[in-house]
Amino acid sequence: MSANNGTPAIEVRGLDKQFGPIHAVRNISFSVNHGEVLGFLGPNGAGKSTTMKMITGFLEPTDGTVLVNGHDVMTDPISVKASIGYLPEGAPGYAEMTVIRFLEFVAEIRGLEGAEKQQRIDKVVDQIHLDGVLEQTIDTLSKGFKRRVGVAQALLHDPDVLIMDEPTDGLDPNQKHEVRSLIKEMAENKAIVISTHILEEVDAVCSRAIIIAAGQILFDGTPAELRAQSEINDYDDAFRTITSRFYTSQGEAGQS
């Protein structure tokens, strides 16, 4: 379901979000093209999940514009949601539903029916290795399997834009490898944004990285350019260098 026609898959322009006195996202702008896997990085409370919720239309911006495949999130939300597969933080599901019923439910909401519906369910069950838990209710699943069900529902309608908040959270090393391999397989035709705290994920799957802190973009570049910010050529060190430099400058500004 690709909409790759030269238009950026995601275009964020002057995006801003305030919750009363809390300025969560501050006038940020960036775009993501089809074929890119963007790692969206930042410390806790940086504004990552808030930005993702605004891109997907789950949260209304205070100011700014988001376009997904040329469709405005605020004025054409149905077209935007049809283009996007979204794995939110925590991947909530319906606890009392079996996995297969939940996937059928999501497929129906996405407008899939008949043979196409069954085909897509079979495909994601195979991709995410859910065969052994299809008849279990979601509340009986381990954290890792709940996360895998969340990934599966995001892929059901074969969207060309994927927004995934901590896609490997709670997965064991083998499951992480499987999800990362899947992301790499899908990357050619999709625009994929993943938020993560795991810096090795940038090296494993991302073609680009953005670091955000206090709602502001501090870095936007390739993984190699990110690593080059470290004197020891290390992602974790580069992340600490960029964010600590920012917080130090903020403290000095506050004292001046």
Side-chain angles (χ1 to χ4, degrees):
M1 192 185 289
S2 177
N4 192 350
N5 55 11
T7 302
I10 301 168
E11 223 173 326
V12 173
R13 303 174 184 163
L15 197 61
D16 207 271
K17 183 63 182 178
Q18 290 182 256
F19 298 97
I22 299 168
H23 206 161
V25 175
R26 298 168 182 261
N27 192 33
I28 66 172
S29 299
F30 63 92
S31 61
V32 186
N33 295 315
H34 296 93
E36 276 193 299
V37 180
L38 173 66
F40 204 49
L41 317 171
N44 287 331
K48 301 186 301 297
S49 293
T50 299
T51 300
M52 288 178 147
K53 286 175 183 173
M54 289 190 284
I55 291 172
T56 54
F58 280 79
L59 198 58
E60 186 174 340
T62 304
D63 202 2
T65 304
V66 178
L67 303 177
V68 177
N69 288 331
H71 302 287
D72 189 302
V73 168
M74 295 308 299
T75 60
D76 193 4
I78 301 300
S79 296
V80 169
K81 287 179 172 67
S83 296
I84 287 178
Y86 178 38
L87 175 68
E89 191 176 20
Y94 291 96
E96 73 284 358
M97 278 188 179
T98 61
V99 171
I100 186 62
R101 181 64 198 114
F102 177 65
L103 294 177
E104 288 169 347
F105 171 68
V106 173
E108 287 156 13
I109 288 174
R110 288 294 189 180
L112 298 171
E113 50 189 27
E116 185 187 17
K117 170 184 152 186
Q118 194 56 53
Q119 221 170 35
R120 288 303 307 160
I121 290 173
D122 291 345
K123 174 82 170 172
V124 299
V125 165
D126 182 55
Q127 280 180 310
I128 313 298
H129 304 297
L130 292 173
D131 320 59
V133 298
L134 288 179
E135 299 302 332
Q136 279 186 235
T137 56
I138 289 173
D139 65 341
T140 66
L141 298 177
S142 67
K143 183 179 180 182
F145 266 110
K146 284 177 182 172
R147 204 74 188 135
R148 289 161 83 172
V149 172
V151 173
Q153 64 78 28
L155 300 179
L156 257 180
H157 58 303
D158 192 22
D160 73 306
V161 176
L162 269 175
I163 310 287
M164 308 176 87
D165 204 346
E166 304 281 353
T168 61
D169 181 43
L171 303 187
D172 67 35
N174 290 334
Q175 293 166 345
K176 283 181 182 178
H177 175 74
E178 288 169 5
V179 170
R180 289 170 184 170
S181 298
L182 179 60
I183 289 170
K184 284 195 280 193
E185 279 170 32
M186 298 187 297
E188 187 178 345
N189 299 313
K190 299 184 189 296
I192 303 175
V193 179
I194 63 168
S195 94
T196 182
H197 287 107
I198 306 166
L199 274 294
E200 69 189 55
E201 223 142 72
V202 175
D203 191 44
V205 300
C206 296
S207 56
R208 184 173 152 214
I210 282 177
I211 293 178
I212 183 174
Q216 302 172 62
I217 293 176
L218 309 186
F219 173 88
D220 184 350
T222 66
E225 289 167 340
L226 173 58
R227 204 168 51 213
Q229 300 288 311
S230 162
E231 291 183 1
I232 58 173
N233 209 35
D234 175 79
Y235 287 113
D236 289 289
D237 182 63
F239 179 86
R240 286 193 297 271
T241 299
I242 291 166
T243 53
S244 62
R245 187 191 303 142
F246 169 75
Y247 286 120
T248 299
S249 70
Q250 292 293 102
E252 288 169 356
Q255 291 166 11
S256 63

